[in-house]
Amino acid sequence: MSEDKLIEGVLSGKRRALARLISLIEDEDSSVSRILAKLYRHTGKAHIIGVTGPPGSGKSTLVTRLTTELRSRGLTIGIICVDPSSPFTGGALLGDRIRMQEHALDKEVFVRSMGTRGHLGGLARSTSDAVRAVDAAGKDIVLVETVGAGQSEVEVVEIAHTVLVTDVPGSGDDIQAIKAGIMEIADIFVVNKADLPGADKKVTEINAMLDIAPTSDKWRPPVMKTNGRTGEGISELVDEIQEHMAYLKSSGVLEHKGLQRSKDELEQIMEYKLTRELMTKLQGTPEFDQAIKRIARRDVDPYTIAERLITKFLASCRE
Ligand SMILES: Nc1nc2c(ncn2[C@@H]2O[C@H](COP(=O)(O)OP(=O)(O)O)[C@@H](O)[C@H]2O)c(=O)[nH]1
Ligand SMILES: [Mg+2]
């Protein structure tokens, strides 16, 4: 597939083109930045929803249920899954896969898992690029499932407009959740498995924590109860998700976040490109090798050398 064909395919919402582009993104193919550059002005329309929480709390089940509900409201869906134990990455239970098949024949639902094909550090970048690709393909909603362990749930905040944090009754790890920063990232709390004993207690506990938590904005995260098995509470959850987007728009938070993200992204790209430019020029030159040896010998400190090399590089750019 030629690059132009690929772009055309993605923009017209063709599944195969979109899947192909995401593979290129995962492989960190050199064509990606060119393609994404051309797609950029077609992005920014999708409502990106992050779903994070501990393994087994029902994220994949909720994503499937949310998809059904959102489809019934006429919305098109992309699902990006960054959970190695999820149905979409093959590590999952048979039941999960069967459940997801509910949407397998629906052309307006695109499902993709992000593996760790590239280096691990690149996963955040490739996930955000994949979300952008789905956005360019015209999906109204992008659901991003990430397992709530370590860095991933913090990264999802950077790309999602609305973050759902899932929990289940009886899990006594709330204090830990606060420590891990999970509380601060939630726009909506979901107490799933409401059929199990202790669901109301859990809701009360989270609300009590929200009462004492310092908040910077006017949105107080609602605490919703769901049953992933029966679908109870899903419609109310979707109402809250849409309510949250309405809040983001009316409060100006959406615009503010968009500017912040653009700034961060521009800085990141420039830093990356500049560093690469500088290093290709320096690496392997006698001057660079000499500098490294002198630093190791304590002849000179790395700060002074770095300063000198950068000044020289910038001067050479002006020539
Ligand atoms: N009892 C009960 N089980 C649920 C509910 N929602 C999901 N499950 C089950 O919990 C298990 C883990 O769900 P899954 O969606 O894979 O969780 P994930 O690891 O967070 O993606 C599965 O066996 C689900 O069938 C629920 O509301 N009630
Ligand atoms: Mg899952």
Side-chain angles (χ1 to χ4, degrees), residues 1-11 17 35 38-39:
M1 212 185 294
S2 76
E3 252 173 65
D4 285 340
K5 264 247 145 43
L6 182 66
I7 290 167
E8 202 186 295
V10 171
L11 288 176
I35 296 169
K38 288 185 182 150
L39 291 177

Side-chain angles (χ1 to χ4, degrees), residues 59-60 81 83 85-87 145:
K59 296 180 296 297
S60 300
C81 187
D83 178 353
S85 68
S86 93
E145 177 186 340

